[in-house]
Amino acid sequence: MNDKRLYSPKYIREVLDKFGFKFSKALGQNFLIDGNIVRNIVKGAQVGKDDYVLEIGPGIGTLTEELALNAKKVVAVEIDKNLLPILDYTLASYDNVELVQGDILKIDIHKLIDEKLNGGPIKVVANLPYYVTTPIIAKLIEDDLNIESITVMVQKEVAQRIVAPPGNKQYGSLTVFVNFYSDPEVLLIVPKTVFMPQPKVDSAVIKLTIKEAATDVDRKLFFRIVKAAFSQRRKTIVNSLSNKELGLDKEQVRELLEKSNISPKARAEDLKIEDFIKICQTIPSLDI
Ligand code: SAM
């Protein structure tokens, strides 16, 4: 095993220089350089010897190494071809790591879990590239994948939006979406100083424990309603839901809200997930 751990900034510089690697801003490359944070992410994810782990964006392998030391197997998907020879070098002594070159948004994750991760259930652990945080989370939680939990570093502001309670300014469609599929919690707030190069904003590690999504709900309709409600969040719910896209006029929305026990004066940010579910389930009973 390599005696130099990958979170040492000096060693990272050495490795990057050896391979002539240049950071790509466009790919959201901000590498971790703090051993405590790396250890705390893996501890927070509760990765143990029986776990199959999917890592997204291993970079030069800093988090991957800590995962390899704790998990049964790690599959790490990296988009940047230039990092593959570096990862081969830095992770050479770990035989429970498999590298996959590709874009996580394009890869068939069902197949990946079946073929390389024992069919799951798996844990996802990553320091996510910030330019695609939301699409990656959406793909992971929407697709009925065999995932137990997702522990990821995201921008602090995104973490705050995900865990915001109803009534809070940050509470929005992302909150409802993530809470529909999982129980989210913030594990750590992370200062920008622990990355190379330093990003402009602070970060946070969140853990999404996947739950069984409500099965008695038309998901498409549910998210159309949530989107319509928050697209005009300053308006009362009766106004934001009366629109052509949903095919409802004001009278119908009033009836819908009354049947769902929701005040027409409420705004989207006042509604809990259960309220949106109620609205969704009541629509078929309307005379339209
Ligand atoms: N895990 C490393 C660490 O913590 O030091 C690197 C994290 S860095 C914030 C994000 C990584 O994701 C980079 O290595 C980047 O090349 C990779 N990446 C960016 N977009 C990706 C995508 N669509 N699919 C897979 N990897 C991606």
Side-chain angles (χ1 to χ4, degrees):
M1 192 182 299
N2 209 320
D3 58 343
K4 296 178 195 164
R5 295 295 303 275
L6 280 163
Y7 43 71
S8 143
K10 192 165 161 265
Y11 183 46
I12 293 179
R13 273 264 149 256
E14 229 175 271
V15 171
L16 297 181
D17 286 349
K18 180 177 165 75
F19 287 86
F21 179 81
K22 299 264 177 298
F23 289 101
S24 159
K25 225 179 172 180
L27 290 177
Q29 290 176 344
N30 301 98
F31 297 167
L32 275 167
I33 52 168
D34 184 307
N36 277 329
I37 301 286
V38 171
R39 279 188 291 272
N40 284 333
I41 295 173
V42 177
K43 257 193 211 138
Q46 293 179 302
V47 170
K49 281 288 167 230
D50 294 328
D51 285 322
Y52 288 84
V53 176
L54 167 63
E55 188 194 3
I56 297 156
I60 64 157
T62 314
L63 185 56
T64 327
E65 180 177 51
E66 186 66 21
L67 288 167
L69 289 168
N70 287 278
K72 179 154 192 136
K73 181 174 180 190
V74 184
V75 171
V77 177
E78 174 57 59
I79 196 170
D80 187 348
K81 287 193 177 85
N82 296 327
L83 285 168
L84 270 292
I86 303 185
L87 287 161
D88 281 337
Y89 171 76
T90 56
L91 300 172
S93 52
Y94 298 94
D95 57 8
N96 60 344
V97 176
E98 186 171 344
L99 301 168
V100 174
Q101 194 274 319
D103 179 346
I104 194 67
L105 293 175
K106 296 195 181 136
I107 278 179
D108 180 343
I109 304 182
H110 280 282
K111 203 166 147 212
L112 187 93
I113 294 176
D114 278 351
E115 290 178 359
K116 299 184 189 294
L117 290 161
N118 204 36
I122 63 157
K123 290 179 177 166
V124 177
V125 184
N127 171 15
L128 287 180
Y130 292 165
Y131 75 108
V132 276
T133 301
T134 332
I136 291 177
I137 292 179
K139 180 168 179 181
L140 293 173
I141 61 181
E142 250 179 344
D143 278 356
D144 289 321
L145 296 161
N146 196 0
I147 295 178
E148 194 179 317
S149 63
I150 302 169
T151 305
V152 282
M153 178 95 73
V154 298
Q155 289 181 38
K156 188 171 143 195
E157 177 261 334
V158 174
Q160 287 166 336
R161 275 164 56 206
I162 286 176
V163 298
N168 186 291
K169 275 215 158 50
Q170 313 249 41
Y171 182 79
S173 50
L174 178 66
T175 324
V176 175
F177 176 70
V178 173
N179 282 267
F180 183 82
Y181 290 105
S182 72
D183 293 317
E185 59 185 310
V186 174
L187 297 183
L188 301 170
I189 300 292
V190 180
K192 47 186 174 240
T193 47
V194 304
F195 299 93
M196 180 198 289
Q198 266 187 42
K200 289 206 173 71
V201 292
D202 289 333
S203 301
V205 177
I206 51 164
K207 181 174 184 185
L208 313 178
T209 304
I210 304 299
K211 63 184 181 190
E212 238 170 73
T215 46
D216 49 349
V217 186
D218 175 345
R219 289 189 197 180
K220 259 201 178 145
L221 179 63
F222 177 83
F223 288 113
R224 272 171 62 209
I225 291 168
V226 171
K227 200 171 150 221
F230 283 104
S231 66
Q232 294 170 301
R233 59 183 296 148
R234 285 165 179 275
K235 289 192 175 178
T236 57
I237 194 79
V238 74
N239 283 324
S240 56
L241 293 188
S242 345
N243 68 35
K244 279 203 196 94
E245 207 271 320
L246 286 176
L248 298 170
D249 64 29
K250 238 183 202 168
E251 263 328 294
Q252 287 165 328
V253 176
R254 277 212 178 87
E255 186 190 338
L256 175 64
L257 294 174
E258 199 183 318
K259 283 185 169 170
S260 312
N261 280 327
I262 294 164
S263 159
K265 288 193 186 130
R267 288 168 211 279
E269 68 192 41
D270 301 319
L271 303 194
K272 299 194 279 288
I273 292 202
E274 298 75 47
D275 294 324
F276 286 110
I277 291 180
K278 194 88 218 290
I279 292 176
C280 190
Q281 289 170 331
T282 309
I283 285 189
S285 75
L286 292 185
D287 197 12
I288 35 178

